[in-house]
Amino acid sequence: MIESIKPKIKLLKEELIDKILDEAYYILEKKGVFIENEEALKLLHDAGAKVDFSSKIVKISRALVEKAIASAPSKIIMYDIDEKNSYIIGGDNVHFNPGSTAITIFDHGTQSQRKPLTQDLIKFSRLTQKLENFHFQSTALISSDVPEEIADCYRLYITLQFCSKPVVTGTFLIEGFKPMYEMLVAIRGNAENLKEKPLAIFDACPSPPLKWSNLTAQTLIDCARANIPSELVSMSLTGATSPVTLTGALVQHVAENLSGLVISQVANPGAPVIFGGSPSGFDMRTGTTPMGAIETMMLDSAYSQIGKKLGLPTHAYMGLSDAKCVDAQAGLESGLGAVLAALSGINVVSGGGMMDFESCQSFEKLVIDNEICGITYRLIEGISQRDEPIAIELLSEIKEDTSFLTHPHTRKWYKLEHTFPKLLDRGNYGQWVESGKKTIAERASEYVKELLSQKDEPVISEEVREELKKIIEGHAKTFGIKKLPEIKES
């Protein structure tokens, strides 16, 4: 039988990729990058980079960058909490996860945004656990009912209790990494098991153009030494914090990511790193950063193509929308982004549930996006030859009373050939009227309530839960915080 092909898209010719890379290498070697972190400066100096400790400008040779590329792994294997499921990040494997670090949540009942609370993050984590097309979870919401000093650790503390999937997260303070790492070790049992079976990915975001802050550089170093995957999230804005042309923005994006890769590899050669980002085609009319713009998606697809050429796992923020509620714009931008991400073979696709320029999360959009991801997975599965011969025997047997509706061949293959989204309305107009003329947002709201009404199996043991509580409470005390919100499962 003839094997199916996995459909793909490419936006850059090989010659253009080479030119973008050559210019990125040139910028790193001749112009350099600003790195605020003293430890990173020393590591880079010792590795052979030209470091001006007064200006904190580091010039990195092409040879040093290529050495870092060669030492970084081409694939990363993530494991869930109970270590039963593993996920390969690399090649053309695609894994969706909800967008992270939203500062508001969209309330379907009031049709308005509000600050999220601990209970919202618990519900969000429980929902993500039940949505099969999100392979990973994220620390999706910043709980407003805890002080900012512990917000990064606290959201990880919550998500680890209510969702067993690998988690995409990150730190807000240098002091935040240690307790977050301790939580991950508590889940795995020991540091060595965590190294062998990573549970979390930490985002590290350079500041465009061509800068690494003290925090983000330290995150790269800490993750490298702990063998925790770092996800490089360059965030250029075309015409605002990067050149306005897509190719110019790509040169900067690649230079920023490669400098982050070098920091990671000089800290620990072989440390896992993901070539990612969250750039935007800046809209100068409104002063906004539209993640649903086609130019943004083109940047994502293009830099992932470059990352693949370098042999690195890839990431992008796609499958999200700039809409302010769950409407047609939300579906248009999210669906297009998810499909383009999958066709580009991007390994980690962040953005599910997100709206309003990466600032807002929505329960209803999350469950709709889960459907979009499922449809997308069906697309990249491609068209398979199910029989040999394909249809000669079937069509040769046609008689006057033949009906494929009841044919054994239909019963055999129907569910394998077709997807059946729960929330899409595929009935006729009369059926829609009879059902109350519900929009997809209304159906999604009902589905959210249905899923959250179901009883959950414990994600971690009571012993591990107490260990996590001890870690977060100890961290909170260092900032003078004596009381944390009560944890309720419903």
Side-chain angles (χ1 to χ4, degrees), residues 120-296:
D120 296 310
L121 183 51
I122 292 172
K123 290 179 180 179
F124 199 95
S125 300
R126 291 181 60 221
L127 272 179
T128 305
Q129 175 77 353
K130 300 170 189 294
L131 299 176
E132 68 280 8
N133 297 316
F134 289 113
H135 295 172
F136 302 160
Q137 64 165 322
S138 72
T139 45
L141 296 164
I142 301 175
S143 301
S144 64
D145 51 355
V146 297
E148 292 182 6
E149 293 88 344
I150 64 166
D152 50 0
C153 303
Y154 186 76
R155 60 190 182 138
L156 182 63
Y157 166 66
I158 296 298
T159 56
L160 291 176
Q161 294 182 68
F162 295 98
C163 185
S164 65
K165 299 177 181 182
V167 57
V168 180
T169 187
T171 58
F172 300 157
L173 298 171
I174 288 176
E175 298 84 357
F177 180 81
K178 183 175 182 290
M180 295 174 78
Y181 174 68
E182 289 173 350
M183 289 183 204
L184 297 171
V185 171
I187 294 286
R188 283 287 183 254
N190 57 67
E192 192 58 37
N193 196 31
L194 179 62
K195 282 185 177 182
E196 293 177 2
K197 297 181 177 179
L199 174 60
I201 297 168
F202 276 62
D203 285 344
C205 309
S207 304
L210 302 169
K211 299 174 184 175
W212 284 93
S213 71
N214 188 38
L215 168 63
T216 52
Q218 190 63 50
T219 297
L220 288 172
I221 294 169
D222 290 340
C223 285
R225 289 173 175 163
N227 207 51
I228 292 174
S230 286
E231 196 162 73
L232 307 174
V233 186
S234 181
M235 302 180 293
S236 59
L237 308 178
T238 57
T241 62
S242 78
V244 71
T245 60
L246 299 190
T247 48
L250 285 170
V251 170
Q252 178 179 311
H253 189 108
V254 172
E256 289 173 348
N257 265 20
L258 290 180
S259 60
L261 176 70
V262 172
I263 294 171
S264 173
Q265 297 307 298
V266 296
N268 180 25
V273 178
I274 301 171
F275 192 94
S278 181
S280 171
F282 189 67
D283 193 322
M284 296 188 185
R285 302 169 303 171
T286 57
T288 54
T289 57
M291 303 307 297
I294 191 62
E295 295 82 9
T296 297

Side-chain angles (χ1 to χ4, degrees), residues 347-364:
N347 304 133
V348 182
V349 185
S350 302
M354 267 199 153
M355 302 187 296
D356 195 15
F357 314 106
E358 289 186 347
S359 68
C360 179
Q361 266 290 1
S362 161
F363 295 143
E364 290 72 28

